[in-house]
Amino acid sequence: MGRFLYPNEYYTSTYAIDFEHLYNLGYRGLLFDIDNTLVPHDAMSDERSRALLRRLREIGFSVCFVSNNREPRVADFVKELHVEGLPDPQYVFKAAKPKADGYLEGIRKMNLKHKQVIFIGDQLLTDIWGANNARLPSILVQPVAKETKLQIKLKRILEKPVLWRYRKKHPLKDR
């Protein structure tokens, strides 16, 4: 039960992921959720997220953000992540996660093959379920900040038993 909600890996933070290892495994594209994966809900980019994007670009990754938010939120976040001399990352807004369409659109925007892409997000019921629907490998990360929105707090309650079962066999990683 709930295996369609299981990620391939689970990390304490996006910032703890060994991206060089993922690149060595053949991944060339990263699909990211934004809110509580990289920054707290509705926050703009910070130095840490900008430094991560610079590092990912130096490694050789293409990046695309896949968000259920409206375009102004996602576009403003991406604009703040601008790295001099590099094109801005791609994005998909109103992705309707957990449907697969937004993930597949992100892959198309990066012009990569399906097997070259991995997804990173903080919610089982939208992010990971959607990645599984799109048949993408996924990494679940612990949220950046405590939830403030009621609908997400409720989702977290529903996620707890699934996460508990998953963690019985899969340890939480903190590089």
Side-chain angles (χ1 to χ4, degrees):
M1 180 177 120
R3 292 198 187 281
F4 64 97
L5 297 174
Y6 283 5
N8 294 85
E9 297 185 25
Y10 183 31
Y11 279 84
T12 56
S13 166
T14 299
Y15 302 96
I17 296 170
D18 185 348
F19 289 102
E20 289 82 358
H21 178 67
L22 292 177
Y23 193 86
N24 290 336
L25 290 175
Y27 294 108
R28 297 298 180 260
L30 303 169
L31 295 176
F32 280 100
D33 177 49
I34 297 172
D35 289 326
N36 251 347
T37 297
L38 292 165
V39 295
H41 270 280
D42 299 325
M44 297 314 283
S45 69
D46 54 16
E47 186 49 43
R48 191 163 108 163
S49 59
R50 288 189 293 275
L52 177 63
L53 182 65
R54 280 191 297 274
R55 183 172 142 233
L56 295 174
R57 292 298 190 65
E58 287 168 6
I59 293 169
F61 280 111
S62 293
V63 173
C64 182
F65 298 99
V66 178
S67 176
N68 282 346
N69 277 304
R70 293 187 174 115
E71 187 172 21
R73 159 71 178 133
V74 181
D76 288 348
F77 180 84
V78 169
K79 209 177 297 176
E80 289 230 340
L81 276 175
H82 180 76
V83 175
E84 199 62 42
L86 293 173
D88 286 341
Q90 297 290 322
Y91 64 87
V92 177
F93 64 95
K94 291 181 111 180
K97 295 183 282 185
K99 291 182 180 178
D101 297 348
Y103 299 81
L104 301 176
E105 183 180 343
I107 293 168
R108 281 191 299 275
K109 285 185 173 204
M110 291 188 294
N111 198 28
L112 292 171
K113 294 178 182 160
H114 201 93
K115 67 181 181 181
Q116 295 177 297
V117 178
I118 190 166
F119 177 82
I120 300 153
D122 70 296
Q123 289 186 59
L124 291 175
L125 294 175
T126 53
D127 298 330
I128 303 305
W129 187 2
N132 287 336
N133 282 339
R135 293 190 171 40
L136 282 172
S138 61
I139 297 175
L140 177 68
V141 295
Q142 290 184 325
V144 170
K146 189 173 173 87
E147 299 298 343
T148 56
K149 297 186 177 196
L150 180 60
Q151 77 263 20
I152 297 171
K153 285 181 181 183
L154 294 173
K155 284 182 197 175
R156 297 281 186 214
I157 292 168
L158 294 172
E159 290 177 349
K160 276 185 181 188
V162 176
L163 200 50
W164 178 82
R165 280 192 301 282
Y166 174 82
R167 291 217 29 221
K168 282 172 66 175
K169 293 184 179 179
H170 304 89
L172 179 64
K173 295 180 181 184
D174 187 17
R175 194 164 33 149

